[in-house]
Amino acid sequence: MKTMSKRYHPSQPRNWFLQRPAYVKFMVRELTAVFVGAYLIFLLVLLGKLAGGPEVFASILPVLKSPLSVVLHLVVLLAALFHSFTWFNLTPKALPFFLGETRIADPLVAVALGYLPWIVISVLIVWSVSG
Amino acid sequence: MAEEPTITLEIFRYHPERDTEPSTQSYEVPFREDWVVLDAINWIKDYVDGSLTYRWSCRMGVCGSCGMMVNGEPKLTCAAFLKDYYPDPIKVEPLANFPVERDLVIQMDDFMAKLQFVKPFVIRDDVNNIEQGEYRQSPAELARFKQYSMCINCMLCYAACPVMGSEPEFVGPAALALGHRYNKDSRDRGNAERMEKMMEHDAVWGCTFVGECTEVCPKNVDPAGAIQQTKAAAAQQYFLNFLTPKGAGVRGGE
Amino acid sequence: MNGNIGLALRPSIQSVRPGWSSSQFAVNRMSKSNEVIWWSLFSAGGVLAALFIPAFIVVTGFLLPAVAGEDPSRAYDIIRGTLTWPVRVVVFIVIFLSFFHCGHRVRHTLMDLGLRHMEGILMTVCYLGASLGTIVAAVMLVKM
């Protein structure tokens, strides 16, 4: 008598992303996109007010000065920073550089292509607005 | 004579001919400083329960046969030391994200098909004949792909990859790293052909760069890196082809 | 997956391929891999978001309110003065690509969270949303 063997098919749990620390970190990393996206929408509103002229723009200044705005900006800043750090640290994996046989170390690439430009650009932006 | 210390192994059991659900069976095995989980499993099969079914071979981390989930982590059981878990019990289960045949044996036919999917061989039209001699390759050219050639097909990366859990059609880390190994081989001229396969929806684009595949790989193949490099190469080729109708982006080998 | 195991196995010695031109390879590639476009936008957006967004947040969240606290009209002058046309182009590109970065990431995250069967809908919503954001950004920056 020949019987077909019945395989057991495990299924991925719904909360798979909580099962291991690495998965949690991954999900947090991906969710920074929600915060950045929300900030971008806020930026559009701000640009809209700016486009309306000095009086229209003045109407949003109390909002910007409010404690709620400061707290939300802090939250979004944390998310954006987490994105920046994880992004620059992963960049060297996608872009290997070789000097002959030797691969240039990941941290060096991260600094050269990520952290250094980041510092320069950030300083430029803050300096240009500080007037 | 002092009693030998023991450690408990909680092992996943599944008998397809009579079970509808898997179960767990606990075994108390001798704890020895130099033993790995595979030693404990072999001891169980030799002295306690000959029905325990599992794969193993070299017991030294080169054959890729003994991969299992040890306390929820994909590991080569020949490389997981009992002393790192002692005195707590050790949970041993078959590799995640694969159908289970029996006990700790998973079905790997899909994996074998995915390896072949990426055309894992040097592709070139102009094959040297004997008089023309061998293909020369410099150490620098070798360095471009050597890391990705070290895969022992242990499938730990497939067990670690959450995409494999939700999308069984995903070609997966090892297969894509293998494709990258050939794309980077200076002897290969089949880049365009292989990229056609690797740029399918369930190939590189299924990957969301979780990176756990690279973390669990016992041979430092870095499949996550290989996949991102392939995505970047695909993007580069696409835009070069788009901008230059003569297909400047299509090239073989390096 | 198209499990063409047999077709994938080839003899090691290749016969000369029928004369496919490079452009035919390109067309094949393009029809199969729209994904490469979304990924490229996501990737470029990820770089720009990483480089620019933190500083933007510091400006709108802390610098601007600080300046406005002293003299509200000065805040408008400073910000408006910084947004010369070259700067507006840069800001537009950052916003445009960052929107597609976020859209792509949200799409894939929702798929990873169990909505894989809704991939088509998710792609439409996410990339349409990103496009709308981009258009609004362009309109605002031009109107200024």
Side-chain angles (χ1 to χ4, degrees):
Chain A
M1 184 177 81
K2 192 176 177 187
T3 46
M4 284 298 285
S5 166
K6 221 180 63 210
R7 291 195 192 102
Y8 170 68
H9 292 266
S11 56
Q12 189 183 50
R14 279 234 151 239
N15 62 348
W16 64 265
F17 51 92
L18 295 173
Q19 302 296 326
R20 299 168 66 168
Y23 291 165
V24 175
K25 189 175 173 214
F26 163 73
M27 202 39 85
V28 170
R29 184 191 92 196
E30 297 300 288
L31 287 174
T32 61
V34 176
F35 292 92
V36 173
Y39 177 73
L40 289 173
I41 294 173
F42 162 79
L43 217 54
L44 291 184
V45 172
L46 200 62
L47 288 175
K49 297 286 180 192
L50 208 54
E55 295 83 30
V56 177
F57 184 67
S59 67
I60 205 181
L61 287 175
V63 176
L64 283 185
K65 289 192 284 186
S66 70
L68 182 66
S69 170
V70 173
V71 168
L72 287 176
H73 270 87
L74 270 169
V75 170
V76 165
L77 182 60
L78 279 171
L81 287 173
F82 192 70
H83 165 70
S84 298
F85 279 106
T86 52
W87 189 271
F88 295 142
N89 290 343
L90 287 175
T91 300
K93 288 212 176 280
L95 294 173
F97 293 98
F98 284 86
L99 276 176
E101 280 179 72
T102 336
R103 179 163 164 179
I104 300 182
D106 281 357
L108 256 102
V109 177
V111 167
L113 295 183
Y115 291 107
L116 215 57
W118 187 27
I119 293 172
V120 169
I121 289 172
S122 299
V123 166
L124 263 168
I125 291 174
V126 168
W127 172 81
S128 72
V129 171
S130 307
Chain B
M1 185 163 121
E3 229 183 79
E4 194 177 25
T6 61
I7 187 172
T8 304
L9 261 64
E10 294 164 355
I11 303 191
F12 178 104
R13 301 302 305 270
Y14 177 68
H15 310 91
E17 70 278 8
R18 63 171 196 261
D19 289 346
T20 45
E21 288 296 316
S23 58
T24 303
Q25 201 162 347
S26 279
Y27 302 90
E28 217 173 304
V29 304
F31 169 73
R32 298 192 188 151
E33 282 293 320
D34 54 341
W35 269 21
V36 288
V37 173
L38 180 60
D39 291 321
I41 295 174
N42 276 335
W43 185 89
I44 294 170
K45 189 166 176 84
D46 284 345
Y47 295 109
V48 179
D49 185 348
S51 73
L52 185 57
T53 310
Y54 53 98
R55 290 193 178 107
W56 70 288
S57 185
C58 75
R59 93 269 185 269
M60 61 183 203
V62 294
C63 73
S65 305
C66 68
M68 301 176 207
M69 306 300 279
V70 179
N71 283 357
E73 297 284 321
K75 282 204 182 288
L76 296 180
T77 48
C78 67
F81 283 86
L82 293 183
K83 66 177 185 236
D84 291 335
Y85 303 91
Y86 183 80
D88 297 327
I90 305 176
K91 196 163 177 205
V92 184
E93 295 161 298
L95 278 183
N97 303 330
F98 287 97
V100 179
E101 293 278 10
R102 170 190 294 277
D103 293 346
L104 301 163
V105 174
I106 50 99
Q107 184 246 47
M108 50 188 280
D109 299 20
D110 261 7
F111 174 73
M112 301 305 288
K114 287 166 183 176
L115 286 181
Q116 298 177 67
F117 175 81
V118 300
K119 307 201 178 197
F121 36 81
V122 171
I123 297 174
R124 55 191 298 156
D125 285 334
D126 56 332
V127 178
N128 281 0
N129 53 39
I130 294 294
E131 290 78 37
Q132 288 172 293
E134 71 279 16
Y135 299 118
R136 313 291 302 272
Q137 190 172 65
S138 69
E141 287 171 326
L142 173 65
R144 293 292 184 282
F145 72 90
K146 183 167 178 191
Q147 180 180 20
Y148 312 111
S149 71
M150 304 307 278
C151 176
I152 59 174
N153 293 356
C154 66
M155 297 173 285
L156 296 192
C157 53
Y158 283 68
C161 173
V163 177
M164 280 310 302
S166 66
E167 193 185 321
E169 312 81 37
F170 177 42
V171 172
L176 292 170
L178 184 62
H180 188 59
R181 170 250 176 280
Y182 281 96
N183 282 339
K184 287 313 214 178
D185 190 328
S186 57
R187 299 165 293 179
D188 179 73
R189 298 286 178 273
N191 193 284
E193 221 179 296
R194 200 173 296 105
M195 282 303 254
E196 240 191 285
K197 307 301 287 184
M198 291 178 76
M199 277 169 65
E200 291 197 8
H201 179 270
D202 293 319
V204 289
W205 306 118
C207 168
T208 52
F209 206 175
V210 176
E212 269 302 277
C213 53
T214 291
E215 284 301 310
V216 302
C217 176
K219 293 295 168 187
N220 296 318
V221 172
D222 188 17
I227 295 173
Q228 308 322 305
Q229 291 168 38
T230 306
K231 289 181 188 172
Q236 187 181 12
Q237 285 178 19
Y238 178 82
F239 286 108
L240 282 177
N241 274 331
F242 193 72
L243 297 170
T244 60
K246 291 202 205 101
V250 180
R251 43 197 197 331
E254 239 291 297
Chain C
M1 130 164 166
N2 41 340
N4 300 336
I5 305 177
L7 291 178
L9 294 173
R10 295 176 57 153
S12 53
I13 295 179
Q14 311 289 318
S15 53
V16 176
R17 278 193 289 277
W20 273 22
S21 67
S22 318
S23 58
Q24 263 176 295
F25 273 111
V27 168
N28 276 345
R29 238 193 314 282
M30 285 206 289
S31 57
K32 271 193 196 186
S33 51
N34 283 331
E35 200 55 42
V36 70
I37 303 175
W38 307 127
W39 182 86
S40 301
L41 291 171
F42 152 80
S43 194
V47 174
L48 291 181
L51 290 172
F52 286 85
I53 296 293
F56 282 10
I57 296 173
V58 167
V59 166
T60 64
F62 312 113
L63 284 185
L64 214 52
V67 166
E70 304 151 15
D71 181 2
S73 61
R74 197 162 158 262
Y76 174 84
D77 292 333
I78 287 181
I79 265 290
R80 186 62 187 74
T82 321
L83 287 168
T84 60
W85 275 105
V87 173
R88 288 192 221 179
V89 169
V90 171
V91 170
F92 170 72
I93 293 176
V94 171
I95 293 180
F96 151 51
L97 288 170
S98 295
F99 261 126
F100 276 91
H101 169 81
C102 294
H104 186 85
R105 234 176 188 171
V106 166
R107 164 206 162 189
H108 270 289
T109 304
L110 289 174
M111 283 166 66
D112 281 346
L113 288 173
L115 296 182
R116 204 167 286 276
H117 54 283
M118 287 174 58
E119 182 168 14
I121 300 174
L122 289 173
M123 283 176 76
T124 311
V125 168
C126 290
Y127 299 137
L128 207 60
S131 306
L132 283 170
T134 303
I135 294 171
V136 171
V139 168
M140 295 299 143
L141 285 165
V142 165
K143 267 174 64 178
M144 237 174 264

